[in-house]
Amino acid sequence: MERLRTGFDKFKTEVYDQKPDLFEPLKDNQEPTYLLFACADSRVCPSVTLGLEPGEAFTVRNIGAMVPCYCKNKHTGVGSAIEYAVCALKVKVIVVIGHSRCGGIKALLSLKDGEDDSFHFVEDWVRIGYSAKKKVKDECCDLPFEDQCAILEKEAVNVSLQNLSTYPFVKEGVANRTLKLVGGHYDFVSGKFDTWEL
């Protein structure tokens, strides 16, 4: 806990106290431009890697930066974040960011049909990207496992972008050109960040 306390003290004196023009308006409301989906991996904090200030991005982090299809009875934590960001906060861009050496993607690619799950939640969650896994297995079966993982990192982002379009308020925003969907990939091994649109 001492690390967290000293970290906050440093933030308070070096950032919070030094930027009243940034933090004062945030006391009343937030108007983020972005909804970011990023992995929960401790190596890939999007605010740090993208240089975002507080108030710029409404952020959802989970295993593999997965976005499930619209369903009112399942994955409501993700659905409620999307709905609030789009309908209440009026974000303009949704970005789904995959990353290099992702454990969630490795777990997805390692899944064997018919085998028992090792975890209570992880395998069921990463199955959201099953169609991406199938595509990589079908098209890249001759490549080494690590290379397949690297390809799947981006293909899983594409599945999440497609899944975003199943949310009626996202679909409407895209159709009205008030909302844009963007894929991203952060390679922390080589220090690269790529973006694309489907």
Side-chain angles (χ1 to χ4, degrees):
M1 288 305 297
E2 185 59 27
R3 168 66 183 89
L4 301 182
R5 173 53 60 191
T6 57
F8 175 76
D9 290 343
K10 182 177 179 182
F11 163 78
K12 174 83 166 60
T13 56
E14 294 181 12
V15 180
Y16 186 87
D17 292 343
Q18 301 301 317
K19 295 185 175 183
D21 290 345
L22 171 63
F23 288 99
E24 280 300 318
L26 295 178
K27 293 177 182 179
D28 295 323
N29 68 349
Q30 59 173 324
E31 296 178 353
T33 300
Y34 306 98
L35 166 58
L36 298 182
F37 279 90
C39 187
D41 191 305
S42 63
R43 300 168 291 182
V44 295
C45 179
S47 294
V48 173
T49 57
L50 301 178
L52 296 168
E53 296 279 6
E56 283 191 274
F58 195 72
T59 306
V60 178
R61 296 183 69 178
N62 61 50
I63 302 295
M66 301 276 179
V67 179
C69 285
Y70 175 85
C71 178
K72 289 187 78 170
N73 302 317
K74 194 173 182 185
H75 308 307
T76 55
V78 173
S80 63
I82 297 168
E83 182 177 34
Y84 188 74
V86 173
C87 300
L89 298 176
K90 308 293 186 195
V91 297
K92 294 174 176 54
V93 184
I94 302 177
V95 187
V96 180
I97 306 169
H99 70 90
S100 57
R101 299 188 179 173
C102 179
I105 293 301
K106 186 175 181 180
L108 172 61
L109 195 61
S110 300
L111 287 176
K112 302 275 192 288
D113 292 336
E115 274 191 11
D116 290 339
D117 291 347
S118 301
F119 294 95
H120 292 269
F121 302 104
V122 175
E123 290 95 347
D124 188 50
W125 176 255
V126 297
R127 283 187 184 97
I128 291 167
Y130 182 81
S131 62
K133 172 193 172 177
K134 185 174 184 327
K135 178 179 180 184
V136 170
K137 284 291 191 184
D138 289 347
E139 297 176 6
C140 308
C141 60
D142 294 335
L143 294 178
F145 181 82
E146 294 303 322
D147 291 346
Q148 289 183 40
C149 281
I151 295 166
L152 184 55
E153 289 161 7
K154 293 181 179 180
E155 289 299 334
V157 168
N158 290 338
V159 167
S160 287
L161 292 173
Q162 292 162 4
N163 288 347
L164 278 165
S165 295
T166 65
Y167 292 78
F169 31 88
V170 172
K171 188 175 183 178
E172 180 181 348
V174 170
N176 293 337
R177 298 181 187 270
T178 58
L179 187 62
K180 187 180 202 179
L181 305 182
V182 177
H185 183 266
Y186 170 46
D187 185 338
F188 62 77
V189 177
S190 62
K192 292 181 182 174
F193 182 72
D194 298 314
T195 61
W196 65 91
E197 296 176 48
L198 290 183

